[in-house]
Amino acid sequence: MVDRARRRGGGGASRTPAKPRPPSSLELAVLPDHRFDHEGTYRRLGYVDADLSGGAAESVEVEQCRFRGTDLSTTTLDRARFTDCLVEHSNLANLRASDSSWARVRVVASRMTGFTWADGSLRDVVFDECRLDLSGWRFTDFHAVAFTGCNLARADFYRADLSGARFVGCDLTGAQFSQATMKGTRFVNCTLAGIGGLTSWDGAVVQGQDLIALAYELAGALGIGISDEDDS
Protein backbone atom coordinates (compact mmCIF):
# COMPACT_ATOMS: atom_id res chain seq x y z
CA MET A 1 0.00 0.00 0.00
CA VAL A 2 1.29 3.46 -0.88
CA ASP A 3 2.36 5.57 2.12
CA ARG A 4 -0.32 8.22 2.58
CA ALA A 5 1.90 10.36 4.79
CA ARG A 6 4.23 10.98 1.87
CA ARG A 7 1.52 11.41 -0.74
CA ARG A 8 -0.94 13.51 1.23
CA GLY A 9 -1.31 17.03 -0.12
CA GLY A 10 0.47 16.28 -3.39
CA GLY A 11 -2.38 17.28 -5.67
CA GLY A 12 -1.59 20.97 -5.78
CA ALA A 13 -3.53 23.66 -7.61
CA SER A 14 -5.93 22.64 -10.35
CA ARG A 15 -4.49 22.88 -13.89
CA THR A 16 -5.43 21.68 -17.35
CA PRO A 17 -4.58 17.97 -17.70
CA ALA A 18 -1.85 17.09 -20.17
CA LYS A 19 -3.04 15.09 -23.17
CA PRO A 20 -2.15 11.42 -23.76
CA ARG A 21 0.83 10.85 -26.03
CA PRO A 22 -0.47 8.53 -28.77
CA PRO A 23 1.84 6.06 -30.53
CA SER A 24 2.66 6.40 -34.22
CA SER A 25 0.78 3.16 -34.88
CA LEU A 26 -1.29 0.55 -33.04
CA GLU A 27 -1.35 -3.23 -33.27
CA LEU A 28 -4.83 -4.74 -33.01
CA ALA A 29 -5.13 -6.64 -29.74
CA VAL A 30 -5.95 -10.34 -30.10
CA LEU A 31 -7.55 -12.38 -27.34
CA PRO A 32 -6.61 -14.34 -25.35
CA ASP A 33 -2.99 -13.37 -26.11
CA HIS A 34 -3.50 -9.77 -25.01
CA ARG A 35 -5.80 -10.42 -22.09
CA PHE A 36 -4.44 -8.88 -18.87
CA ASP A 37 -2.30 -11.31 -16.88
CA HIS A 38 -0.14 -11.01 -13.76
CA GLU A 39 2.90 -8.74 -14.32
CA GLY A 40 2.01 -8.43 -18.00
CA THR A 41 3.13 -5.48 -20.15
CA TYR A 42 0.89 -4.22 -22.95
CA ARG A 43 2.12 -1.49 -25.29
CA ARG A 44 0.72 0.21 -28.40
CA LEU A 45 -2.32 -2.06 -28.64
CA GLY A 46 -5.80 -1.28 -29.91
CA TYR A 47 -8.57 -3.10 -28.02
CA VAL A 48 -11.70 -2.84 -30.20
CA ASP A 49 -14.96 -4.45 -29.02
CA ALA A 50 -12.84 -6.72 -26.84
CA ASP A 51 -14.22 -8.64 -23.86
CA LEU A 52 -11.81 -8.33 -20.93
CA SER A 53 -14.53 -8.57 -18.29
CA GLY A 54 -14.18 -10.52 -15.08
CA GLY A 55 -10.40 -10.80 -15.20
CA ALA A 56 -7.95 -10.37 -12.33
CA ALA A 57 -4.31 -9.31 -12.57
CA GLU A 58 -1.54 -7.76 -10.50
CA SER A 59 1.25 -5.38 -11.51
CA VAL A 60 -0.03 -4.84 -15.05
CA GLU A 61 1.70 -2.18 -17.20
CA VAL A 62 -0.46 -0.67 -19.97
CA GLU A 63 1.16 1.98 -22.18
CA GLN A 64 -0.09 3.88 -25.23
CA CYS A 65 -3.13 1.65 -25.68
CA ARG A 66 -6.59 2.51 -27.00
CA PHE A 67 -9.80 0.89 -25.79
CA ARG A 68 -12.95 1.34 -27.87
CA GLY A 69 -16.17 -0.53 -27.15
CA THR A 70 -14.19 -2.68 -24.72
CA ASP A 71 -15.77 -4.52 -21.77
CA LEU A 72 -13.62 -4.27 -18.64
CA SER A 73 -16.51 -4.69 -16.20
CA THR A 74 -15.94 -6.58 -12.93
CA THR A 75 -12.19 -6.65 -13.60
CA THR A 76 -9.93 -6.66 -10.52
CA LEU A 77 -6.54 -4.98 -10.71
CA ASP A 78 -3.81 -4.48 -8.10
CA ARG A 79 -0.77 -2.22 -8.58
CA ALA A 80 -1.74 -1.57 -12.22
CA ARG A 81 -0.20 1.29 -14.23
CA PHE A 82 -1.94 2.90 -17.24
CA THR A 83 0.01 5.54 -19.17
CA ASP A 84 -0.93 7.52 -22.32
CA CYS A 85 -4.18 5.62 -22.90
CA LEU A 86 -7.52 6.51 -24.48
CA VAL A 87 -10.76 4.80 -23.41
CA GLU A 88 -13.89 5.42 -25.50
CA HIS A 89 -17.45 4.09 -25.29
CA SER A 90 -16.35 1.25 -23.05
CA ASN A 91 -17.76 -0.57 -20.02
CA LEU A 92 -15.77 -0.28 -16.78
CA ALA A 93 -18.70 -0.89 -14.44
CA ASN A 94 -17.67 -2.45 -11.12
CA LEU A 95 -14.00 -2.52 -12.10
CA ARG A 96 -11.98 -2.59 -8.87
CA ALA A 97 -8.40 -1.40 -8.59
CA SER A 98 -6.14 -0.76 -5.61
CA ASP A 99 -2.74 0.95 -5.30
CA SER A 100 -2.88 1.70 -9.04
CA SER A 101 -2.23 4.74 -11.22
CA TRP A 102 -3.38 6.47 -14.39
CA ALA A 103 -1.15 9.05 -16.08
CA ARG A 104 -2.21 11.00 -19.18
CA VAL A 105 -5.42 9.03 -19.69
CA ARG A 106 -8.66 10.22 -21.28
CA VAL A 107 -11.96 8.39 -20.74
CA VAL A 108 -14.89 9.35 -22.99
CA ALA A 109 -18.59 8.39 -22.87
CA SER A 110 -17.98 5.24 -20.87
CA ARG A 111 -20.12 3.37 -18.34
CA MET A 112 -18.34 3.26 -14.97
CA THR A 113 -21.10 2.64 -12.43
CA GLY A 114 -19.57 1.17 -9.28
CA PHE A 115 -16.03 1.76 -10.57
CA THR A 116 -13.57 1.66 -7.63
CA TRP A 117 -10.10 3.21 -7.65
CA ALA A 118 -8.85 2.96 -4.05
CA ASP A 119 -5.58 4.21 -2.54
CA GLY A 120 -4.37 5.15 -6.01
CA SER A 121 -3.16 8.06 -8.09
CA LEU A 122 -4.58 9.94 -11.08
CA ARG A 123 -2.37 12.40 -12.94
CA ASP A 124 -3.41 14.30 -16.07
CA VAL A 125 -6.66 12.39 -16.45
CA VAL A 126 -9.93 13.50 -18.10
CA PHE A 127 -13.36 11.90 -17.66
CA ASP A 128 -15.74 13.25 -20.30
CA GLU A 129 -19.48 12.44 -20.32
CA CYS A 130 -18.99 9.29 -18.25
CA ARG A 131 -21.48 7.53 -15.99
CA LEU A 132 -19.63 7.32 -12.66
CA ASP A 133 -22.48 6.94 -10.21
CA LEU A 134 -21.63 4.92 -7.07
CA SER A 135 -17.93 5.11 -7.95
CA GLY A 136 -15.33 4.95 -5.17
CA TRP A 137 -12.12 7.00 -4.90
CA ARG A 138 -11.10 6.49 -1.27
CA PHE A 139 -7.55 7.60 -0.35
CA THR A 140 -6.78 8.49 -3.99
CA ASP A 141 -4.69 11.51 -5.04
CA PHE A 142 -5.88 13.69 -7.94
CA HIS A 143 -3.22 15.61 -9.87
CA ALA A 144 -4.67 17.70 -12.73
CA VAL A 145 -7.87 15.67 -13.14
CA ALA A 146 -11.01 16.97 -14.90
CA PHE A 147 -14.54 15.56 -14.73
CA THR A 148 -16.74 17.09 -17.45
CA GLY A 149 -20.45 16.34 -17.83
CA CYS A 150 -20.21 13.23 -15.65
CA ASN A 151 -22.81 11.53 -13.46
CA LEU A 152 -21.07 11.18 -10.09
CA ALA A 153 -24.17 10.65 -7.98
CA ARG A 154 -23.28 9.02 -4.63
CA ALA A 155 -19.59 8.86 -5.50
CA ASP A 156 -17.29 8.30 -2.51
CA PHE A 157 -14.23 10.57 -2.13
CA TYR A 158 -13.48 9.68 1.50
CA ARG A 159 -10.01 10.95 2.45
CA ALA A 160 -9.10 11.60 -1.19
CA ASP A 161 -6.77 14.47 -2.08
CA LEU A 162 -8.92 16.42 -4.54
CA SER A 163 -6.84 19.59 -4.54
CA GLY A 164 -5.89 18.93 -8.17
CA ALA A 165 -9.42 18.13 -9.40
CA ARG A 166 -11.97 20.11 -11.38
CA PHE A 167 -15.68 19.26 -11.82
CA VAL A 168 -17.59 20.93 -14.67
CA GLY A 169 -21.28 20.29 -15.36
CA CYS A 170 -21.33 17.19 -13.15
CA ASP A 171 -24.11 15.63 -11.10
CA LEU A 172 -22.69 15.08 -7.61
CA THR A 173 -25.98 14.37 -5.87
CA GLY A 174 -25.34 12.52 -2.63
CA ALA A 175 -21.56 12.36 -3.15
CA GLN A 176 -19.43 11.88 -0.02
CA PHE A 177 -16.40 14.10 0.68
CA SER A 178 -15.72 13.20 4.30
CA GLN A 179 -12.13 14.01 5.40
CA ALA A 180 -11.11 14.86 1.83
CA THR A 181 -8.44 17.47 1.05
CA MET A 182 -10.07 20.09 -1.18
CA LYS A 183 -7.94 23.22 -1.19
CA GLY A 184 -8.19 24.46 -4.80
CA THR A 185 -10.79 21.90 -5.91
CA ARG A 186 -13.09 23.63 -8.45
CA PHE A 187 -16.80 23.14 -9.11
CA VAL A 188 -18.53 24.78 -12.09
CA ASN A 189 -22.24 24.33 -12.95
CA CYS A 190 -22.54 21.21 -10.81
CA THR A 191 -25.48 19.64 -8.97
CA LEU A 192 -24.50 19.51 -5.30
CA ALA A 193 -27.69 18.34 -3.61
CA GLY A 194 -27.39 16.04 -0.63
CA ILE A 195 -23.59 15.92 -0.56
CA GLY A 196 -21.81 14.76 2.58
CA GLY A 197 -18.62 15.84 4.31
CA LEU A 198 -19.10 19.57 3.81
CA THR A 199 -16.76 20.36 6.69
CA SER A 200 -13.94 19.16 4.40
CA TRP A 201 -14.63 21.86 1.78
CA ASP A 202 -12.17 24.35 3.23
CA GLY A 203 -10.36 26.00 0.29
CA ALA A 204 -12.66 24.64 -2.45
CA VAL A 205 -13.66 27.04 -5.23
CA VAL A 206 -17.36 27.04 -6.15
CA GLN A 207 -18.97 29.04 -8.95
CA GLY A 208 -21.53 31.61 -7.78
CA GLN A 209 -24.72 29.90 -8.92
CA ASP A 210 -23.58 26.61 -7.38
CA LEU A 211 -22.89 28.31 -4.06
CA ILE A 212 -26.59 29.12 -3.56
CA ALA A 213 -27.54 25.44 -3.57
CA LEU A 214 -24.48 24.58 -1.52
CA ALA A 215 -25.51 27.07 1.15
CA TYR A 216 -28.59 25.00 2.00
CA GLU A 217 -26.49 21.84 2.34
CA LEU A 218 -23.96 23.68 4.51
CA ALA A 219 -26.68 25.09 6.73
CA GLY A 220 -28.07 21.61 7.24
CA ALA A 221 -24.63 20.23 8.09
CA LEU A 222 -24.18 22.95 10.71
CA GLY A 223 -27.68 22.53 12.10
CA ILE A 224 -28.81 25.98 10.95
CA GLY A 225 -32.53 26.27 10.31
CA ILE A 226 -33.73 28.16 7.23
CA SER A 227 -37.09 29.92 7.35
CA ASP A 228 -39.00 31.49 4.48
CA GLU A 229 -41.28 33.30 6.89
CA ASP A 230 -41.04 37.00 7.53
CA ASP A 231 -40.53 37.33 11.31
CA SER A 232 -40.54 41.12 11.23
Side-chain angles (χ1 to χ4, degrees):
M1 182 176 293
V2 179
D3 187 348
R4 293 293 302 175
R6 291 198 303 267
R7 288 172 46 202
R8 196 67 181 167
S14 177
R15 62 172 173 80
T16 301
K19 296 180 180 180
R21 301 168 184 170
S24 56
S25 61
L26 285 173
E27 175 187 353
L28 184 63
V30 178
L31 301 183
D33 294 353
H34 295 130
R35 189 176 181 86
F36 294 164
D37 200 358
H38 298 306
E39 300 183 353
T41 299
Y42 307 88
R43 294 191 176 97
R44 303 181 183 89
L45 292 171
Y47 290 85
V48 180
D49 298 327
D51 185 358
L52 300 174
S53 63
E58 298 180 3
S59 302
V60 171
E61 299 279 346
V62 183
E63 299 179 10
Q64 291 189 312
C65 290
R66 183 171 184 174
F67 301 84
R68 185 173 182 85
T70 299
D71 188 354
L72 283 155
S73 63
T74 66
T75 297
T76 301
L77 301 173
D78 188 23
R79 298 186 300 278
R81 302 290 180 262
F82 287 75
T83 307
D84 292 316
C85 293
L86 177 61
V87 182
E88 301 171 294
H89 306 283
S90 294
N91 183 7
L92 288 77
N94 297 311
L95 181 151
R96 296 183 177 276
S98 61
D99 195 15
S100 298
S101 69
W102 276 357
R104 295 186 303 277
V105 174
R106 183 178 180 89
V107 189
V108 180
S110 292
R111 179 172 179 259
M112 303 176 72
T113 298
F115 177 91
T116 300
W117 199 264
D119 199 28
S121 175
L122 302 176
R123 182 182 296 275
D124 294 304
V125 177
V126 173
F127 297 94
D128 188 12
E129 301 290 339
C130 292
R131 181 173 177 179
L132 281 155
D133 52 315
L134 300 172
S135 57
W137 311 88
R138 291 188 163 213
F139 300 99
T140 290
D141 287 347
F142 292 72
H143 310 257
V145 177
F147 293 90
T148 304
C150 293
N151 178 356
L152 284 152
R154 297 175 64 189
D156 185 2
F157 296 98
Y158 175 75
R159 294 193 68 179
D161 186 345
L162 289 161
S163 52
R166 181 182 180 92
F167 299 85
V168 180
C170 293
D171 182 358
L172 287 152
T173 300
Q176 177 59 250
F177 294 91
S178 180
Q179 298 185 49
T181 298
M182 300 181 64
K183 184 176 182 179
T185 309
R186 294 182 174 272
F187 298 86
V188 180
N189 295 330
C190 292
T191 301
L192 303 173
I195 58 176
L198 275 170
T199 54
S200 299
W201 282 52
D202 182 26
V205 180
V206 182
Q207 195 176 59
Q209 58 263 38
D210 294 342
L211 188 59
I212 297 173
L214 186 62
Y216 286 91
E217 304 299 332
L218 183 59
L222 297 175
I224 299 173
I226 299 176
S227 175
D228 294 328
E229 299 178 2
D230 185 357
D231 296 330
S232 62

